[in-house]
């Protein structure tokens, strides 16, 4: 398969062309794969763009007709399609709490999906062809899982204060899988509909993830079979769990870096689609879980896709594979192996600037991988911005990033560092915290900075930091612990005060912090203090912009206020921008405002950078 180009004509295919929805406002185009009807592969529901907001759309490929289903002031992101072709969508407020609603695919009034389910944050949705549904909701008192039928009452199956998410519901409705932290004693809990615990898979010795039940076949789904990934001996091993046999790892089906998998729908030999993230790029494979009928092999078989990043991939009911593909110069787009058209494509031609390269810098736990993009029309050395990714369990990719393009188009070289703790480089790299939480990652940023300056890509006296979420945390920590190295910094929705964040955070994030630090703030106060940017706020020397969100549940506003108080107490100059949104805003206007403010601020802080820089020229409609 050849690499698609953003300016190439659409792939020719039978059937009507998909509707053309505009890409979201510059900087926030985040395509989501369409969800296909389990009974009719031509009928799809997807999250698309509506004047800069994420909203839910339907599309019938056989007729070429589509419609916008939701129209909410702050956007809508989550959707699904059940066996009766009713569309499910999550109706949430600015703070991220709400409930599921449904509407017929062809229109009509929307209704509460399950009555009696309290409002909260979404924590999983599982639909069966037989009509039984399971909903996970996370509220102030923890996780609740409810079972029922669309339009009916939800029966509580589980209420727990532990961190967890509903993973899936077996096709016959007789078994539920709930995922806890992969490293915990309750990594996967199997429940009967009455709440009885059938089995618990522990991840304390080997981290374990549940990936979903085999879909089964009509009219008899057959016995429950759960797809599982387990980390063992530095690799990720695919396996299955059944009530009869327990957990079986499949011989010859393991990977050296993070990999996830999905079942192919329909009857026949059980087959899965695997997506591996490796060194900032992606690969797809298929594997037969029972020996292949023709070859007798279970070994994964590569699926031909262009080099770059696959942000999501899903096998379709007709045997096709749908996936979101991108690379550093091509906007993410939904593709299919068959060439069949998919909905939600961008009709904007976004700017593309610069030269790109990979840089590997020696480090104590192996080389640190950095994606570097430099202006094509300006000589080196350049003013340099380290654009720091969030997570920490995430990584920068060979993917189109509008912020990179905005920076490079404004004259900066941009470095995206996959520091220790990033995914995509294996379990050892992901768990490497030899210098402590945060400080390990800052050490890698410092190494990458030195390498970039030594190679003449950036230059001394013109180096900035910019990061969001955990990337914002590392920006603040680096500016406080190594203040002599940085000339400007932008921290967007950052973790800024570790103790206050823990006190006001969600159970899931509290569980992550407890594992990361080896205890709670009461149990290991020194560890939290050592890692907290607020401990070093007084040492910051460079200009600093902090962007925070009033409805942020992941990086709560209370802990940002605590950090700002530390800055003020020490007389550290800074600028502040508040957003009336949550951590993951669905309104493009907020994202664009942050990009513009960040570029102007960086332009004032970095010598020779264009003062008052704005994003590149507006995209042109095709």
């Amino acid at each position: 398969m050849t690499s698609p180009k953003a300016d190439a004509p659409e792939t020719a295919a039978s059937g009507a062309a998909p509707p053309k929805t505009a890409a979201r406002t510059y900087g926030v185009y985040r395509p989501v794969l369409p969800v296909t009807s389990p009974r009719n592969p031509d009928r799809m529901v997807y999250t698309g763009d509506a004047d800069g907001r994420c909203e839910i759309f339907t599309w019938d490929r056989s007729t070429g007709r589509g419609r916008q289903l939701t129209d909410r002031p702050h956007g809508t992101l989550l959707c699904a399609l059940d066996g009766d072709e009713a569309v499910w969508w999550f109706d949430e407020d600015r703070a991220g709490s709400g409930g599921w609603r449904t509407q017929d695919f062809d229109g009509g009034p929307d209704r509460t999906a399950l009555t009696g389910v309290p409002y909260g944050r979404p924590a999983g949705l599982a639909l069966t062809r037989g009509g039984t549904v399971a909903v996970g909701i996370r509220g102030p008192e923890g996780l609740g899982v409810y079972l029922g039928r669309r339009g009916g009452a939800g029966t509580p199956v589980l209420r727990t204060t532990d961190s967890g998410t509903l993973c899936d519901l077996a096709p016959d409705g007789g078994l539920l899988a709930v995922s806890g932290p992969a490293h915990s004693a309750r990594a996967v809990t199997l429940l009967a509909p009455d709440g009885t615990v059938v089995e618990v898979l522990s991840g304390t010795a080997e981290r374990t993830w549940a990936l979903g039940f085999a879909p089964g076949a009509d009219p008899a789904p057959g016995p429950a079979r759960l797809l599982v990934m387990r980390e063992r001996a530095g690799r990720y091993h695919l396996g299955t769990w059944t009530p009869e046999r327990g957990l079986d790892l499949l011989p010859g089906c393991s990977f050296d870096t993070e990999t996830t998998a999905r079942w192919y729908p329909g009857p026949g030999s059980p087959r899965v689609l695997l997506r591996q993230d490796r060194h900032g790029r992606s690969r797809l494979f298929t594997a037969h879980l029972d020996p292949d009928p023709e070859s007798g092999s279970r070994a994964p078989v590569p699926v031909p896709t262009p080099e770059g990043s696959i942000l999501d991939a899903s096998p379709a009911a007709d045997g096709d594979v749908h996936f979101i593909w991108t690379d550093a110069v091509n906007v993410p787009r939904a593709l299919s192996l068959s060439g069949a058209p998919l909905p939600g494509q961008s009709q904007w031609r976004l700017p593309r600037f610069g030269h790109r390269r990979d840089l590997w810098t020696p480090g104590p736990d192996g080389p640190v991988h950095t994606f570097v993009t430099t202006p094509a029309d300006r000589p080196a050395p350049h003013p340099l911005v380290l654009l720091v990714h969030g997570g920490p369990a995430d990584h920068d990719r060979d993917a189109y990033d509008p912020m990179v393009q905005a920076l490079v188009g404004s004259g900066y070289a941009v470095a995206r560092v996959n520091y220790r703790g990033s995914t995509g480089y294996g379990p050892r790299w992901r768990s490497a915290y030899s210098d402590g939480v945060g400080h390990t990652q800052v050490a890698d940023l410092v190494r990458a900075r030195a390498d970039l300056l030594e190679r003449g890509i950036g230059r001394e006296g013109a180096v900035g930091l910019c990061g969001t979420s955990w990337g914002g945390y590392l920006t603040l920590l680096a500016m406080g612990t190594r203040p002599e190295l940085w000339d400007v910094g932008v921290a967007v929705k950052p973790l800024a005060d570790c103790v206050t964040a823990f006190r006001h955070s969600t159970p899931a994030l509290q569980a992550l912090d407890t594992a990361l630090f080896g205890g709670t703030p009461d149990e290991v106060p020194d560890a939290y203090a050592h890692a907290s940017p607020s401990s070093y706020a007084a040492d910051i020397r460079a200009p600093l912009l902090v962007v925070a969100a009033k409805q942020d549940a992941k990086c709560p506003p209370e802990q940002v206020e605590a950090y700002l108080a530390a800055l003020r107490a020490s007389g550290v100059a800074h600028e502040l921008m508040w957003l009336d949104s949550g951590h993951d805003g669905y309104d493009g206007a907020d994202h664009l405002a942050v990009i513009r403010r960040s570029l102007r601020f960086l332009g004032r802080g970095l010598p020779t950078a264009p003062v008052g820089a704005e994003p590149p020229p507006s995209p042109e409609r095709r």
Side-chain angles (χ1 to χ4, degrees):
M1 185 173 187
T2 58
S3 174
K5 300 296 181 184
D7 54 356
E10 296 294 334
T11 303
S14 60
K20 293 289 187 180
T21 58
R24 294 171 199 155
T25 305
Y26 181 75
V28 292
Y29 182 70
R30 295 177 293 182
V32 178
L33 276 177
V35 180
T36 304
S37 165
R39 300 189 186 277
N40 182 352
D42 283 333
R43 308 199 94 183
M44 304 178 188
V45 60
Y46 65 98
T47 305
D49 178 84
D51 298 325
R53 300 188 321 279
C54 303
E55 295 293 355
I56 309 304
F57 295 78
T58 63
W59 184 52
D60 189 325
R61 182 164 52 190
S62 64
T63 65
R65 294 177 182 173
R67 67 185 181 92
Q68 181 179 334
L69 187 146
T70 59
D71 187 9
R72 303 171 63 250
H74 314 304
T76 315
L77 183 68
L78 301 179
C79 63
L81 193 60
D82 68 20
D84 295 324
E85 295 188 345
V87 180
W88 291 60
W89 54 278
F90 196 75
D91 182 20
E92 63 186 285
D93 59 23
R94 274 188 177 271
S97 291
W100 288 97
R101 300 190 68 80
T102 64
Q103 185 181 113
D104 290 342
F105 186 92
D106 294 313
D110 59 84
R111 304 177 176 86
T112 299
L114 284 183
T115 62
V117 177
Y119 270 30
R121 298 180 183 278
L125 174 68
L127 310 171
T128 68
R129 288 194 178 194
T132 304
V133 301
V135 169
I137 288 288
R138 191 175 292 113
E141 298 180 356
L143 172 68
V145 176
Y146 299 83
L147 201 62
R149 299 182 72 85
R150 175 168 50 88
T155 301
V157 177
L158 174 68
R159 291 191 180 100
T160 178
T161 57
D162 293 333
S163 171
T165 303
L166 170 67
C167 172
D168 203 2
L169 175 65
D172 64 358
L175 203 59
L176 298 96
V178 175
S179 298
H183 62 272
S184 70
R186 47 184 177 76
V188 183
T189 302
L190 286 306
L191 299 168
D194 63 1
T196 302
V197 176
V198 175
E199 188 166 343
V200 177
L201 305 182
S202 174
T204 54
E206 300 173 321
R207 293 196 305 166
T208 303
W209 298 263
L211 301 177
F213 286 105
D218 292 334
R225 191 177 190 184
L226 181 69
L227 197 62
V228 174
M229 190 71 72
R230 172 160 279 186
E231 181 186 312
R232 174 178 291 178
R235 296 183 68 84
Y236 297 91
H237 296 258
L238 189 67
T240 60
W241 175 91
T242 61
E244 298 78 19
R245 294 179 55 88
L247 178 59
D248 285 325
L249 298 184
L250 303 175
C253 198
S254 69
F255 300 84
D256 62 347
T257 61
E258 285 78 0
T259 302
T260 189
R262 285 181 172 174
W263 295 97
Y264 273 81
S269 176
R271 192 162 59 119
V272 296
L273 178 71
L274 299 115
R275 175 169 58 91
Q276 182 188 25
D277 287 328
R278 192 172 193 276
H279 299 176
R281 295 178 173 87
S282 309
R283 301 188 292 188
L284 293 183
F285 300 85
T286 60
H288 287 267
L289 301 196
D290 295 338
D292 184 281
E294 297 181 3
S295 67
S297 172
R298 286 193 180 101
V301 177
V303 176
T305 56
E307 182 178 83
S309 292
I310 296 171
L311 307 181
D312 196 7
S314 179
D318 59 2
D320 201 358
V321 173
H322 302 163
F323 58 100
I324 302 291
W325 176 87
T326 179
D327 67 8
V329 297
N330 288 293
V331 175
R333 55 190 306 199
L335 301 173
S336 65
L337 289 182
S338 68
L342 296 177
Q345 303 287 7
S346 167
Q347 70 181 110
W348 297 95
R349 184 171 297 155
L350 297 182
R352 298 177 294 183
F353 300 98
H355 297 303
R356 54 182 174 136
R357 61 187 290 192
D358 290 26
L359 184 68
W360 296 85
T361 303
D365 291 302
V368 180
H369 185 197
T370 302
F371 289 102
V372 182
T373 310
T374 55
D377 57 348
R378 306 190 188 192
H382 309 279
L384 172 66
V385 175
L386 273 65
L387 193 59
V388 190
H389 75 72
D394 200 353
H395 62 275
D396 271 315
R397 298 163 170 82
D398 179 13
Y400 186 93
D401 186 329
M403 187 62 176
V404 172
Q405 297 299 317
L407 288 166
V408 173
S410 299
Y412 304 97
V414 178
R416 296 178 293 153
V417 183
N418 281 329
Y419 47 74
R420 281 171 290 175
S422 301
T423 54
Y425 299 84
R428 182 172 173 268
W429 188 260
R430 182 172 177 171
S431 60
Y433 284 83
S434 56
D435 295 327
V437 176
H439 296 274
T440 303
Q441 290 71 42
V442 168
D444 287 344
L445 297 178
V446 170
R447 287 187 182 91
R449 176 194 181 278
D451 196 8
L452 289 159
L453 267 59
E454 184 178 342
R455 293 171 184 263
I457 296 171
R459 68 177 178 81
E460 195 72 53
V463 182
L465 289 164
C466 181
T468 300
S469 191
W470 181 270
Y473 159 71
L474 293 179
T475 294
L476 297 179
L477 189 64
M479 292 184 70
T481 58
R482 299 300 303 271
E484 74 280 4
L485 299 182
W486 318 107
D487 301 288
V488 65
V490 176
V492 180
K493 301 178 184 178
L495 171 64
D497 185 282
C498 294
V499 173
T500 309
F502 186 94
R503 306 292 187 209
H504 293 271
S505 194
T506 65
L509 291 175
Q510 288 176 339
L512 173 64
D513 285 348
T514 300
L516 203 57
F517 289 103
T520 68
D522 293 332
E523 295 166 340
V524 288
D526 290 346
Y528 282 79
H530 181 61
S532 183
S534 58
S535 299
Y536 312 95
D539 297 320
I540 290 180
R541 302 177 191 170
L544 172 63
L545 169 64
V546 177
V547 180
K550 296 178 181 178
Q551 311 292 337
D552 198 330
K554 296 179 181 178
C555 296
E558 294 86 354
Q559 54 94 34
V560 175
E561 291 284 13
Y563 180 79
L564 295 173
L567 291 178
R568 289 192 294 268
S570 302
V572 176
H574 62 280
E575 292 187 17
L576 175 63
M577 178 182 183
W578 281 104
L579 302 171
D580 188 17
S581 67
H583 194 75
D584 304 303
Y586 308 148
D587 189 341
D590 282 347
H591 292 267
L592 182 59
V594 172
I595 288 178
R596 289 184 181 276
R597 180 72 176 271
S598 300
L599 287 171
R600 286 196 295 268
F601 191 82
L602 290 166
R604 294 199 304 268
L606 293 183
T608 74
V611 176
E614 293 286 340
S618 298
E620 297 179 358
R621 188 185 288 269
R622 286 185 184 174

